[in-house]
Every structure is written in C-alpha cells, then in structure tokens.
Amino acid sequence: MAIETIIFPDAEQAAQQVAKKIQQLIQRKPDAVLGLATGGTPLLLYRELIRMHAEEGLSFAQVRTFNLDEYEGLPPDHPESYWSFMQRNLFDHIDISPGNYHLPSGMLAADAVPEHCEAYENAIRAAGGIDFQILGIGRNGHIGFNEPGSTISSRTRRVTLCEVTRSDAAPAFGSIEQVPTHAISMGCATILEAKEIVLLAFGEHKAEIVAQAVCGDVSENVTASYLQTHQNIHFYLDSAAARDLRESM
Ligand code: GLP
C-alpha cells in the first residue's frame, strides 16, 4: 500500500493542515504551481487559504495555478462553471494575478478541443510542472473528471460524464438534465506528474470508495487507485471517510 492516509477528527482540521502545507510551500517557493480542484470538498481549504492571506499576509502574487477540469458548454460566468466557482471561492479573495490562473475552456468548437488540451499540457510543463496537486474524489472513484475506464496514461482531453457524476451534480444545477454531459479534464498521467498530491475526502458517503482507492487493485474501474503508483501521495480524511479503511487494514 503506497498511499499514506492521515485521519483527522473533522474536515476543518484536515483542511487546516493542508493549508499549512501550501503556506509552507509558497513561503519556500513564492511562484509555486498549484493544481486546484472544485467540488464541496476543497471549500474549507480555500477558506483557510483566504484567512491566511487576510490575517497572516500569505501572498499568492506569484503563484501559478491549473485547475483539473471544466464543464463543456458552460460560459465562464455561468454560476456552475468551475471558472466562476474558483473566482467565488478563492481567486476573488486573494492577490493572485489573473494571468496566473488557468482552467481548461469548455466553450470551444469540437475541432479546437485537441489543440486546446495540448496547449494546457504545454502550459503546465512550461510552468515547471505542478508542485502540489489538490484532489477530491467522486463517488465512483474519479479524480478530476477521469471517470472509470480512463487509462493511467490519459492526458487532458474531452471526457463523457457518468450518470452517477451527473446525478451528484444535479442539485446544484436544479436537475440532471441541466448538468453538462461532457467536460474537459486533465488526464490521469497529467495528475500523476505532480510532484506532491493530496487527496481530500470527507464524510461517510466517501468511505467505501476511499477504501477501494487505497486498498483495492490499481484499476481503471477506480481511477483514484492509480494514485497508489505515486511516490508522494497523501490522503487527508476525516474519520467518517476513513471508516472502511480501518476495517480493511
Ligand atoms: C466533481 C469534480 C471532482 C470532485 C468531485 C467530488 O466531479 N470534477 O474534482 O472531486 O466532483 O465532489 P465533492 O467534493 O463535492 O464531493
């Protein structure tokens, strides 16, 4: 088992520890490259980074960021686009420079997508690679939007979203019909190239899939299991998300 799990009594404490790691990284390397995630899980982490910026003078002025993914067909100003999620929950509240954060675009014509995805990969490489990648995990074990079946060598590309992923997103959109069917996502290989990866998972509803990712076979059925092959990967869990792990260890 290559994945180290760190279990906290609650999500707040886990998020605080991850924020501290990021703070130390930025203090060491002011132009650090962060890989960022969306979803409910990183919200406490972003809140803590905003607090560190406001109260402890943590500056993001030189930090570069790359988000994992973006829905297809949502303009940036759509309230559920990951672009607006990032503005609302992090970028609007810190001193990051607008040229320094990157998200894939979900608004390109089909024939422009492959070139855009390649340019995204090249931009990550040109930045020197991702120093610290934050991940959540989908209920079917996806990381980014790498749904079951995504290969370990996958790169940034257009992906089709699974039913379970779309139904999990449905409340935010009002109904499943309004959830996009496709997205642009960093690939598994892109994620695995990050120098350090922290996956956050909170709540009992993540317990089963966390145990599969940590203790199950490395398999395309659970793309988070690919993280077992990484040399510097930690799962930061609350005790609820770690429930099945304790039983299987
Ligand atoms: C979406 C995102 C993932 C995220 C997952 C879990 O599918 N693309 O990056 O990890 O949702 O979301 P939540 O943190 O809300 O459980």
Side-chain angles (χ1 to χ4, degrees):
M1 191 180 87
I3 296 177
E4 192 187 333
T5 55
I6 306 169
I7 302 165
F8 295 83
D10 56 50
E12 280 81 9
Q13 292 180 51
Q16 278 166 14
Q17 286 309 308
V18 179
K20 272 198 192 117
K21 280 172 80 84
I22 294 173
Q23 183 180 39
Q24 285 161 3
L25 169 64
I26 296 172
Q27 283 164 350
R28 209 165 56 235
K29 184 180 176 189
D31 63 346
V33 180
L34 305 178
L36 299 180
T38 50
T41 306
L43 285 175
L44 289 168
L45 166 64
Y46 294 156
R47 198 175 305 163
E48 179 63 5
L49 290 175
I50 292 165
R51 191 200 62 74
M52 286 173 161
H53 171 66
E55 295 175 14
E56 296 176 19
L58 178 64
S59 175
F60 295 80
Q62 296 178 59
V63 167
R64 282 89 42 87
T65 71
F66 290 88
N67 264 78
L68 285 165
D69 44 19
E70 179 58 284
Y71 286 115
E72 185 178 89
L74 299 188
D77 63 356
H78 186 288
E80 290 308 318
S81 79
Y82 285 163
W83 176 275
S84 63
F85 174 99
M86 290 310 303
Q87 307 292 332
R88 201 166 53 237
N89 294 303
L90 185 61
F91 299 155
D92 281 351
H93 312 285
I94 58 174
D95 60 342
I96 193 162
S97 118
N100 282 354
Y101 57 78
H102 308 83
L103 287 92
S105 168
M107 291 301 288
L108 297 170
D111 60 355
V113 169
E115 202 179 315
H116 174 69
C117 293
E118 206 183 314
Y120 201 70
E121 293 270 337
N122 289 338
I124 294 172
R125 251 174 245 129
I130 291 170
D131 293 306
F132 192 93
Q133 176 68 56
I134 298 154
L135 295 176
I137 184 168
R139 254 200 310 152
N140 61 4
H142 72 222
I143 46 175
F145 268 138
N146 291 286
E147 300 284 34
S150 302
T151 68
I152 197 166
S153 57
S154 54
R155 291 276 165 194
T156 303
R157 69 205 185 287
R158 178 176 190 255
V159 294
T160 304
L161 301 181
C162 288
E163 191 73 12
V164 63
T165 300
R166 294 182 65 234
S167 80
D168 282 349
F173 281 85
S175 72
I176 192 163
E177 290 73 29
Q178 287 166 274
V179 181
T181 54
H182 293 82
I184 307 294
S185 179
M186 270 189 206
C188 297
T190 325
I191 293 170
L192 289 167
E193 276 170 8
K195 291 162 197 131
E196 179 171 5
I197 305 177
V198 165
L199 183 146
L200 295 165
F202 305 136
E204 217 170 324
H205 62 299
K206 297 286 172 82
E208 203 179 319
I209 198 65
V210 162
Q212 279 184 50
V214 174
C215 306
D217 294 340
V218 176
S219 148
E220 63 174 34
N221 297 329
V222 177
T223 58
S225 69
Y226 294 150
L227 298 169
Q228 292 179 31
T229 67
H230 197 272
Q231 298 308 306
N232 194 2
I233 166 77
H234 297 93
F235 277 25
Y236 279 61
L237 310 170
D238 66 1
S239 50
R243 184 199 61 199
D244 294 0
L245 209 54
R246 281 196 293 265
E247 281 162 19
S248 56
M249 284 196 308

